[in-house]
Amino acid sequence: GQACTNQRLASQIGVSAPAGSSDGVLSADGQGVAFSSASDDLPGAVAGSFHSQVYYWDRNQNQVQLLSSAPGGVPGNGHS
């Protein structure tokens, strides 16, 4: 289920816990996953914020990118 998927993704990207991670969607080519998370140990996360952000994990690069940001890379200021 979703909890198992979240744990597997967390272990792949090297975060301690997928706090509030949900809505994972596999890319059409199977090389990445878009997901939302309130975890504060992901790139661009705001420590202590309980707002979820949208991220993309690239399997080939093993990198996570913040998608829900304003121009200049500022994280969203509400749930995304």
Side-chain angles (χ1 to χ4, degrees):
Q2 186 70 39
C4 181
T5 301
N6 291 344
Q7 289 294 334
R8 289 185 66 186
L9 179 58
S11 69
Q12 285 293 318
I13 63 179
V15 297
S16 59
S21 296
S22 63
D23 306 320
V25 177
L26 185 65
S27 65
D29 63 4
Q31 297 304 307
V33 177
F35 63 98
S36 64
S37 179
S39 180
D40 62 4
D41 58 353
L42 290 168
V46 178
S49 172
F50 297 102
H51 297 297
S52 61
Q53 301 292 335
V54 177
Y55 297 92
Y56 178 77
W57 172 64
D58 183 310
R59 178 178 169 187
N60 292 327
Q61 302 290 324
N62 195 29
Q63 293 182 336
V64 177
Q65 177 182 3
L66 174 66
L67 297 181
S68 57
S69 62
V74 178
N77 62 359
H79 289 291
S80 296

